[in-house]
Amino acid sequence: MSASKIPQVVLKSSSNQIKLPIIAFGTAAVTNNDGEITKAAVIEAIKSGYRHFDTALIYGSEEALGEAIEEALQLGLIQSRDELFITSKLWLTDNFPHLVLSGLQKSLQNLKLEYLDLYLIHWPISVKPGNWEIPYAEELITSFDLKGVWTAMEECQKLGLTKSIGVSNFTRKKLDDLLSFAIIPPSVNQVEMNPVWHQKKLKEYCEAKGIIITAFSPLGAKGTLWGSNEVMDSEILKEIAEQHGKTIAQVCLRWLLEQGVTMAVKSYNKERMNQNLEIFDWSLTKDDHEKIDKIKQIRVNNGPVVFIPNFWDGET
């Protein structure tokens, strides 16, 4: 698929109203040792038409993504870095007002880029700086200064180091807190969303506030440390896929598209990489939606800490 075929949405709070391609290629690595694999997959993804790439400091994939961008330019697969949309995220140990700028600069250095298109607060949690084992023990959690951190994020956008800023794993209550003082509202809230975790109330809230949702783990992240088989092993989704002559993954991604959200999907397999883009020329039926509405709901990703009371603000 050509890159021009992937629809885009405007990020209203961004510098110069930039456009976000609605399907991102995810690079969350299970280990930090598969840089060459990630690099090759990103180059293949660019050839397939992906232009939005999602990474984070904690993924250990920023360097490989940066190398792939460099090689794609050398090969003429893209003419300019500006053709790509790059998202990265501030990690918990940098989630302090005085560390936001250096956290972003670390990511830019890893990626060998001058700017990001989108920089997200990865989680609304702060952990004492240090190289701790994940999941983090409760005693490492410290108070999260949302206002201070967000002000520093806004400064990063004003400096031109990122064209837009946003959040990840924020509940409605946390977004309410943020919107009460934000001068630049968040462009995006990246959250777990798929047919077994619908996020209906959060989706309605974000729509009303003009915040774009990006769904992570759209296929349930099967095979990862934090993932689940609930999505890909769903009999309901399997039946819908068979009726349409599609894969379960395509049904999930089409469902997200019809929910009006964007998504970050990861597959390093060339065939599946292409299949994941083949969701624009067919539709789910009303009956399909009714069946998906009845799927038992379960949140899979409960975060990188052992336990935080009331972290999800009662939003289940």
Side-chain angles (χ1 to χ4, degrees):
M1 172 178 276
S2 72
S4 60
K5 297 278 175 66
I6 298 175
Q8 299 178 319
V9 290
V10 173
L11 299 182
K12 293 172 188 166
S13 306
S14 61
S15 307
N16 304 322
Q17 301 276 291
I18 61 168
K19 292 178 178 175
L20 175 143
I22 66 169
I23 299 184
F25 186 83
T27 64
V30 177
T31 72
N32 289 348
N33 304 320
D34 50 5
E36 285 303 315
I37 295 168
T38 297
K39 180 182 169 185
V42 169
I43 290 166
E44 199 56 56
I46 291 172
K47 288 178 184 173
S48 298
Y50 289 88
R51 290 296 179 268
H52 180 184
F53 292 88
D54 180 87
T55 186
L57 186 73
I58 195 65
Y59 297 167
S61 59
E62 288 177 330
E63 290 95 336
L65 176 55
E67 287 169 13
I69 293 168
E70 207 169 40
E71 191 163 316
L73 284 163
Q74 288 166 0
L75 294 171
L77 299 176
I78 49 171
Q79 301 311 306
S80 158
R81 176 263 179 268
D82 298 349
E83 292 175 36
L84 302 178
F85 190 105
I86 308 298
T87 298
S88 195
K89 308 177 191 81
L90 177 74
W91 190 238
L92 281 59
T93 47
D94 290 322
N95 217 1
F96 299 88
H98 68 291
L99 294 179
V100 171
L101 178 59
S102 59
L104 173 51
Q105 287 169 331
K106 265 188 282 188
S107 288
L108 290 174
Q109 196 176 348
N110 289 340
L111 288 156
K112 297 183 197 153
L113 295 178
E114 292 179 3
Y115 70 90
L116 292 176
D117 296 279
L118 176 61
Y119 195 47
L120 305 177
I121 296 174
H122 207 148
W123 290 87
I125 307 167
S126 294
V127 166
K128 291 172 188 173
N131 191 19
W132 317 108
E133 196 174 321
I134 301 173
Y136 296 122
E138 204 174 339
E139 59 268 20
L140 294 173
I141 311 303
T142 186
S143 61
F144 172 49
D145 176 4
L146 176 56
K147 189 170 185 178
V149 167
W150 190 253
T151 301
M153 293 284 284
E154 290 175 330
E155 190 56 32
C156 289
Q157 181 169 325
K158 289 173 192 168
L159 289 169
L161 297 175
T162 182
K163 292 191 173 183
S164 57
I165 51 178
V167 297
S168 183
N169 301 296
F170 269 52
T171 60
R172 287 172 289 154
K173 184 178 182 302
K174 290 182 175 69
L175 287 169
D176 261 341
D177 292 346
L178 174 53
L179 291 172
S180 72
F181 55 74
I183 295 165
I184 302 174
S187 287
V188 167
N189 185 18
Q190 188 176 125
V191 295
E192 180 182 352
M193 183 174 172
N194 54 53
V196 305
W197 193 242
H198 291 172
Q199 296 274 30
K200 279 186 179 174
K201 288 177 181 174
L202 182 64
K203 183 175 82 74
E204 287 165 9
Y205 176 96
C206 287
E207 278 172 2
K209 301 292 184 184
I211 300 168
I212 302 292
I213 282 188
T214 296
F216 73 72
S217 301
L219 312 179
K222 183 175 179 176
T224 66
L225 298 173
W226 65 89
S228 149
N229 301 347
E230 295 285 339
V231 176
M232 298 304 283
D233 291 353
S234 164
E235 286 301 321
I236 291 172
L237 295 174
K238 186 179 175 189
E239 181 189 313
I240 293 170
E242 284 170 357
Q243 285 169 353
H244 287 276
K246 303 293 178 185
T247 66
I248 291 175
Q250 286 171 324
V251 168
C252 293
L253 299 179
R254 180 69 206 187
W255 177 81
L256 286 165
L257 184 68
E258 294 184 16
Q259 298 302 305
V261 304
T262 67
M263 60 207 81
V265 62
K266 181 190 172 188
S267 176
Y268 286 4
N269 174 284
K270 185 179 174 181
E271 185 184 7
R272 289 197 291 273
M273 205 185 279
N274 288 313
Q275 285 174 349
N276 290 342
L277 293 179
E278 292 166 4
I279 62 169
F280 299 109
D281 58 353
W282 58 282
S283 301
L284 294 169
T285 65
K286 186 169 176 282
D287 187 48
D288 294 335
H289 279 282
E290 285 171 0
K291 286 176 181 170
I292 292 171
D293 281 346
K294 289 173 184 162
I295 292 176
K296 183 186 170 193
Q297 296 295 286
I298 177 169
R299 185 198 301 278
V300 170
N301 192 330
N302 281 303
V305 296
V306 173
F307 177 68
I308 299 182
N310 305 315
F311 176 74
W312 297 109
D313 299 320
E315 295 187 13
T316 55

